[in-house]
């Protein structure tokens, strides 16, 4: 058998027990293990192989996705897809995924957009594609002329109402549909808030470490970020009070602090609300993955304690559904609705109507709640499997933080190793990681890797990837 670029692949076996994607996966993997394909060799594009084998494109992409997620192949843009440099036949042999293993990743993403441990992604293989396709087809069929014109800049009313109901039930937030504004993502939400409530030069507390886009965006909009340290109870509010007591706002991730995954303690929640009420300041609650808590039920949102109308709540569908949807939302206090409507008319173009309609049906017909429940269970399992796999191989070099929730692991590097240097080496080898140092303003000496686990389906897979990291430590 030969699977190199200029030769043909022999026909697949339609009577075999393995599905086609698995047969293709196996052929490539054994070609690498046998040395027929060498590190750096180019393999056929998914399009070319689709044509050659006469199969659905999704079948080929599923096989390539699995190979890419497990680190066998890498897409290099214009240069095509190649066998991962540095991959030895021994590794390929040792790391063969067991036959009963689930497909690690979804069948429709472009292999060049995904690396093992890639941050910010939900489990792509677990997305309920069939339900989505059914709802999508139904929404398309029922499109009326009124669905074909510019969408409301505040969001589809049905979606705003569905979000309000969901927030009431799941996050303890009491709000009406008119307080919900649909946006195209967290950054858009933050931008909208800044246009509505801030002026250049305003000081804003941000968490340190914290989500880099928050400080980047505030900086671009001429706000002055005030980095406030975070400990095991979340943002240290007393430090914020010392650093900038008259700040205009605070941006926090109370559910699972981004990136440390700790929760903001109740005393700190109350202290923050008290500060905002006295100071007429704003709290921006970025609740990007509050649902994903594994040690207990999800904590209610900070917004649920907001008696003075000082909290602006930012939610997103990126983690609980898919980042490709580009749908998020903002809940504003009742007294601010008018202001946000005015600003939205100028700064918002509206989000795609059809996507909003599908998400609305998905929520109102109960699929959303079920999906979140399933994902919570799946992520708890994948988190454990990934942590166990990495720990078994890397325990001399790392310590994994215990965390109540979230979608990534924090691997503290022992000794004086630089997280940035290790991350750069991992990127060179086709492994994704982010350095905690890059999420910090100033230096604290903390050195850690941030690794997403939601697309790692087995402990064995994690061990294989751990072995690749081991060579780079
Ligand atoms: C801390 C944090 N906030 C918000 C988001 C959501 O961003 P978006 O809605 O633009 O996908 C993310 C996604 O990765 C995140 O990590």
């Amino acid at each position: 058998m030969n699977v190199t670029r200029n030769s043909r692949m022999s026909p697949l076996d339609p009577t075999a027990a393995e599905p086609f994607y698995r047969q293709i996966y196996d052929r490539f993997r054994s070609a690498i293990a046998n040395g027929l394909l060498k590190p750096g060799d180019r393999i056929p594009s998914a399009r070319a192989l689709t044509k050659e084998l006469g199969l659905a494109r999704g079948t080929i992409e599923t096989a390539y996705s699995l190979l890419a997620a497990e680190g066998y192949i890498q897409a290099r843009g214009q240069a095509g897809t190649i066998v991962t440099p540095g991959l030895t036949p021994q590794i390929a042999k040792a790391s063969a995924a067991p036959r009963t293993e689930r497909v690690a990743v979804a069948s429709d993403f472009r292999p060049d957009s995904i690396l093992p441990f890639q941050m910010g992604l939900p489990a792509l293989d677990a997305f309920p594609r069939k339900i989505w396709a059914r709802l999508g087809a139904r929404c398309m069929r029922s499109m009326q002329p009124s669905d074909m014109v510019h969408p409301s800049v505040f969001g589809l009313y049905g979606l705003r109402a569905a979000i309000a109901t969901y927030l009431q039930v799941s996050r303890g937030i009491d709000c009406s549909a008119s307080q919900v504004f649909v946006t195209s993502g967290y950054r858009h939400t933050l931008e909208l808030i800044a246009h509505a409530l801030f002026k250049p030069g305003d000081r804003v507390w941000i968490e340190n470490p914290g989500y880099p886009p928050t400080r980047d965006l505030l900086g671009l909009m001429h706000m002055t970020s005030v980095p406030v340290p975070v400990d095991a109870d979340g943002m240290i509010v007393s430090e914020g009070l010392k650093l900038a007591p008259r700040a205009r706002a605070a941006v926090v991730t109370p559910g699972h602090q981004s990136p440390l995954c700790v929760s903001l303690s109740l005393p700190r929640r109350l202290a923050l609300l008290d500060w905002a009420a006295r100071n007429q300041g704003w709290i921006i609650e970025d609740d990007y993955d509050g649902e994903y808590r594994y040690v207990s039920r999800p904590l209610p949102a900070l917004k649920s304690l907001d008696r003075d109308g000082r909290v602006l709540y930012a939610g997103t569908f990126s983690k609980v559904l898919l980042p490709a949807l580009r749908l998020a939302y903002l809940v504003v206090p009742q007294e601010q609705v008018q202001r946000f409507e005015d600003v939205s008319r100028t700064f918002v173009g509206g989000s795609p109507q059809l996507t909003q309609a599908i998400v609305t049906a998905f929520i109102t017909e109960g699929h959303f709640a079920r999906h979140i429940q399933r994902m919570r269970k799946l992520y708890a399992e994948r988190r454990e499997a990934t942590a166990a796999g990495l720990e078994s191989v890397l325990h001399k070099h790392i310590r994994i933080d215990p965390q109540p929730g979230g979608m990534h692991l924090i691997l503290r590097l022992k000794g004086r190793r630089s997280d940035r240097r290790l991350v750069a080496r991992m990127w060179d080898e086709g492994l994704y990681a982010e350095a905690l140092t890059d999420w910090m303003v100033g230096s604290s000496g903390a050195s850690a890797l941030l690794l997403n686990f939601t697309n790692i389906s087995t402990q064995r897979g994690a061990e294989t990837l751990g072995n690749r990291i081991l060579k780079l430590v």
Side-chain angles (χ1 to χ4, degrees), residues 154 157-165 175-181 330:
F154 311 143
Y157 189 81
L159 179 57
R160 299 169 78 196
I163 292 171
T165 307
C175 67
S176 65
S178 63
Q179 289 171 259
V180 179
F181 290 79
L330 164 67

Side-chain angles (χ1 to χ4, degrees), residues 3-5 28 31-32 35-44 71-76 78-89 92 428-430 468:
V3 287
T4 50
R5 189 164 162 237
F28 276 103
I32 295 167
L36 278 173
L37 276 176
K38 298 195 173 36
D41 275 358
R42 196 164 159 176
I43 65 167
Y72 293 115
I73 61 171
Q74 282 177 10
R76 293 274 170 104
Q78 293 290 339
T81 301
I82 59 167
V83 177
T84 304
L87 193 69
T88 63
D428 282 347
E429 293 302 320
R468 288 179 57 196

